[in-house]
Amino acid sequence: MPRLEESIGFLLADASRLMRRSFEQRITGSSLTLAQARALAHVARNEGCRQVELADQLEVKPITLARLLDQLEQAELVERRPDPDDRRAYRLYLRPQADQALDDIRTAGGAMLAVALQGFSEAEADALASALRKMRSNLSSR
């Protein structure tokens, strides 16, 4: 049995933390913070989602997300639109100006990933991605 700090859960948590740190160092030339970049990327992947859904995905409290969204709205990157099915809720959409910010996020993410996958063959990188997708699916279905 592997030592506790070498278990899959600890290794994933450490790799995730180091990837976030590496990404944050690479995005520093942008006007976005790491939290804003994460929120914007999630809106791009799930455009039209409700604020409460996004808070859940980002694992932040709704009030924390509201502040982030205020900042992204001020920067004219996202907009809130009333939810036609629930007058208390808002849905989130990208503004045209978000394209450049998303390009910055992709560039920083690509650079970080190139470092993280250094020494991996293409087959190893594909196998890792496949295994992580399977883990995510297994855990999200419960």
Side-chain angles (χ1 to χ4, degrees):
M1 181 170 202
R3 295 188 334 249
L4 187 59
E5 62 273 7
E6 291 298 312
S7 73
I8 289 174
F10 276 86
L11 290 170
L12 283 171
D14 283 347
S16 178
R17 175 181 52 80
L18 292 168
M19 288 174 76
R20 279 192 310 273
R21 182 185 298 162
S22 177
F23 176 85
E24 193 168 22
Q25 290 168 348
R26 285 168 172 73
I27 198 77
T28 54
S30 166
S31 62
L32 296 173
T33 67
L34 174 62
Q36 291 168 342
R38 286 185 68 223
L40 187 62
H42 276 272
V43 171
R45 284 183 17 193
N46 303 291
E47 196 164 7
C49 69
R50 294 176 57 204
Q51 278 187 216
V52 69
E53 295 165 348
L54 182 59
D56 188 48
Q57 289 172 355
L58 294 174
E59 294 183 326
V60 298
K61 296 200 180 311
I63 189 68
T64 302
L65 178 64
R67 284 190 212 108
L68 277 173
L69 292 174
D70 288 345
Q71 295 164 354
L72 291 173
E73 267 191 322
Q74 268 190 324
E76 299 183 348
L77 300 175
V78 299
E79 69 176 297
R80 294 173 172 119
R81 296 182 196 160
D83 185 335
D85 300 324
D86 183 350
R87 64 182 179 173
R88 299 165 299 162
Y90 289 95
R91 294 200 173 266
L92 304 168
Y93 295 89
L94 296 175
R95 305 274 315 267
Q97 299 87 323
D99 290 344
Q100 181 58 55
L102 290 167
D103 284 345
D104 293 345
I105 291 168
R106 284 185 201 95
T107 299
M112 175 273 302
L113 204 54
V115 171
L117 295 177
Q118 225 170 5
F120 280 65
S121 70
E122 190 174 336
E124 289 172 323
D126 289 345
L128 175 61
S130 177
L132 291 171
R133 278 192 294 276
K134 191 177 289 186
M135 287 177 73
R136 179 180 63 193
S137 176
N138 289 346
L139 293 169
S140 64
S141 66
R142 298 193 184 269

